[in-house]
Amino acid sequence: MADLDALFDAARTAMTRAHSPYSKFPVGAAILTEDGRIFAGANIEVMSFPEGWCAETTALSHYVMAGGGRITDICVTAEKLDECTPCGGCRQRLAEFAPPDARVHLTDANSITRTITVAELLPLGFATEVLTR
Ligand code: THU
């Protein structure tokens, strides 16, 4: 599918822009919305280690600043790991903006190798109407 090829390419390209001098573990993520827009990001580390953030978070920030939209697909890729799964914090962040049936694509260096949903990525995730009513 052309959109998924573009999403994979966007995640791999974003990964090349990672700022990961401490972990030396570049990660790329890309978000596809139903209207065909793609928002990509890489992990950005800082010398005070806990202050760095993940590729998924960078991609989400681009998505939010562009005005959002319905997320259909997310792709996460890492140079040094086949099937780099999002960390716990990013699972919560992704679930904040992506519907439960949005697809999450994991990759090796060449292509998407596994596809799951946001609901599968974060079972029993924290969600409550109490905070939003
Ligand atoms: N990292 C991500 O960017 N996304 C993930 O889902 C897992 C981890 C980054 C954070 C840090 O810069 C590096 O990978 C090593 O943990």
Side-chain angles (χ1 to χ4, degrees):
M1 193 173 131
D3 276 355
L4 288 188
D5 290 342
L7 193 68
F8 173 74
D9 287 347
R12 292 300 284 190
T13 298
M15 186 185 72
T16 67
R17 300 187 185 134
H19 178 70
S20 54
Y22 309 109
S23 71
K24 299 184 176 18
F25 190 83
V27 183
I31 293 168
L32 175 68
T33 52
E34 67 180 349
D35 54 6
R37 291 171 300 149
I38 289 176
F39 305 98
N43 51 330
I44 300 174
E45 299 176 352
V46 294
M47 199 172 282
S48 178
F49 298 158
E51 302 303 328
W53 62 90
C54 290
E56 296 90 328
T57 302
T58 305
L60 276 172
S61 70
H62 288 296
Y63 157 84
V64 171
M65 288 298 96
R70 185 174 173 81
I71 296 174
T72 60
D73 297 84
I74 299 159
C75 182
V76 181
T77 193
E79 186 180 284
K80 294 182 174 171
L81 186 66
D82 290 344
E83 298 196 346
C84 177
T85 56
C87 78
C90 285
R91 291 176 195 217
Q92 184 73 32
R93 290 186 195 94
L94 292 169
E96 179 89 15
F97 295 101
D101 63 349
R103 293 171 290 270
V104 180
H105 306 283
L106 310 177
T107 89
D108 63 17
N110 302 308
S111 63
I112 290 167
T113 51
R114 185 198 300 253
T115 298
I116 59 174
T117 65
V118 165
E120 289 168 328
L121 191 66
L122 186 65
L124 293 177
F126 177 65
T128 173
E129 291 174 9
V130 171
L131 293 176
T132 52
R133 70 182 175 211

